[in-house]
Amino acid sequence: RNLVIHIIIDFSGSMNYGSTRIKKSDFASMIGLGFAYLALKNNEKFVLSTFGTELEIFKPKKGIKQMAAIFNYLNNKKVSGITKFEKSLSGYKNLISSRSLVVIISDLLYSPNEIKSVLSRLSKHDVKVIQVLDINEENIKEEGNVTLKDSETGQTMKTFISRWMKQHYLKKLDDHRAEIQKACDAIGAEFHHVNTGTDIFDAFFKIIR
């Protein structure tokens, strides 16, 4: 029986961020399309879903028409909403009828407990968790007085970014990734992280090798 590949892409407001020409949602979509293409090439069914304010699902099909439909959907999809990661994905296991490959593509800027809860429900399946961050989220360029804008709520905040604050932020990011890695290890899932400054083909081959 052929494997069904479930591709789940985060389209919440935070994915709209892009310090370069490409936004996180665009980069995540290209990775998702890569998995859809591999499924098509191997004559496997795939389901593509997005979550923002709600979970939207494409039904599993085979063939090039489905690929074209998904490309058009992602191209026109608007990034918006404040997402509760656990609330959006906790019931996803009920949509899977047989052992599958589940690919979750997100910036994963959610509580580690929420991520752990979602992954534990998918423990019977093969799972790949892919964190997509903007290059500036991994290597902050700003220093001094800046105005920050929350891409989900639209709220702004004036603050001062010091060198110490940058180091503290990077330590927090490393700690957060360690928690995600631990949650993945608990169910035998793969965890990958890439940023938008990476060539998309290099990023994709790093994930699938």
Side-chain angles (χ1 to χ4, degrees):
R1 188 172 184 178
N2 280 352
L3 193 71
V4 178
I5 300 176
H6 293 261
I7 305 159
I8 308 170
I9 305 175
D10 187 346
F11 263 77
S12 61
S14 67
M15 295 296 286
N16 200 39
Y17 178 63
S19 64
T20 61
R21 61 182 178 81
I22 186 166
K23 295 179 179 179
K24 289 189 284 186
S25 58
D26 296 327
F27 205 84
S29 294
M30 287 190 282
I31 292 172
L33 283 168
F35 278 101
Y37 173 75
L38 287 182
L40 181 66
K41 187 177 177 184
N42 295 328
N43 199 34
E44 294 168 334
K45 286 184 178 180
F46 58 91
V47 184
L48 183 130
S49 305
T50 60
F51 64 96
T53 49
E54 59 185 23
L55 184 70
E56 294 184 10
I57 301 165
F58 272 79
K59 296 298 182 184
K61 292 180 182 177
K62 294 179 184 177
I64 195 70
K65 286 184 179 179
Q66 178 74 347
M67 189 73 181
I70 283 177
F71 179 82
N72 289 334
Y73 170 73
L74 291 175
N75 208 31
N76 294 306
K77 178 74 179 167
K78 301 296 182 188
V79 179
S80 65
I82 300 172
T83 300
K84 296 291 186 184
F85 184 77
E86 185 177 7
K87 185 177 179 182
S88 296
L89 297 185
S90 61
Y92 197 90
K93 68 170 186 177
N94 299 325
L95 307 172
I96 308 174
S97 57
S98 60
R99 187 176 176 89
S100 302
L101 169 62
V102 182
V103 182
I104 300 172
I105 312 168
S106 168
D107 57 14
L108 295 172
L109 299 178
Y110 304 104
S111 155
N113 287 335
E114 284 190 68
I115 295 169
K116 183 178 179 181
S117 176
V118 168
L119 293 181
S120 66
R121 290 179 169 92
L122 298 171
S123 60
K124 293 181 180 178
H125 304 284
D126 299 323
V127 180
K128 285 182 184 282
V129 178
I130 302 160
Q131 183 183 49
V132 174
L133 292 181
D134 183 83
I135 187 172
N136 196 41
E137 290 175 312
E138 290 197 335
N139 184 23
I140 301 172
K141 297 173 186 174
E142 290 81 9
E143 269 190 20
N145 293 309
V146 297
T147 300
L148 303 177
K149 182 177 180 180
D150 188 313
S151 52
E152 292 199 342
T153 66
Q155 291 181 324
T156 59
M157 178 181 73
K158 292 184 185 296
T159 189
F160 180 84
I161 297 180
S162 65
R163 186 171 295 179
W164 175 87
M165 189 180 287
K166 284 185 179 183
Q167 291 172 343
H168 181 68
Y169 164 79
L170 291 173
K171 173 70 166 57
K172 285 282 196 183
L173 180 60
D174 284 343
D175 290 346
H176 185 63
R177 279 187 177 150
E179 288 293 321
I180 298 170
Q181 184 67 66
K182 191 188 298 184
C184 288
D185 290 344
I187 66 161
E190 290 182 24
F191 175 49
H192 303 273
H193 54 87
V194 295
N195 71 58
T196 57
T198 311
D199 178 83
I200 184 62
F201 294 104
D202 291 342
F204 187 67
F205 285 119
K206 172 191 170 186
I207 291 164
I208 63 170
R209 72 181 178 202

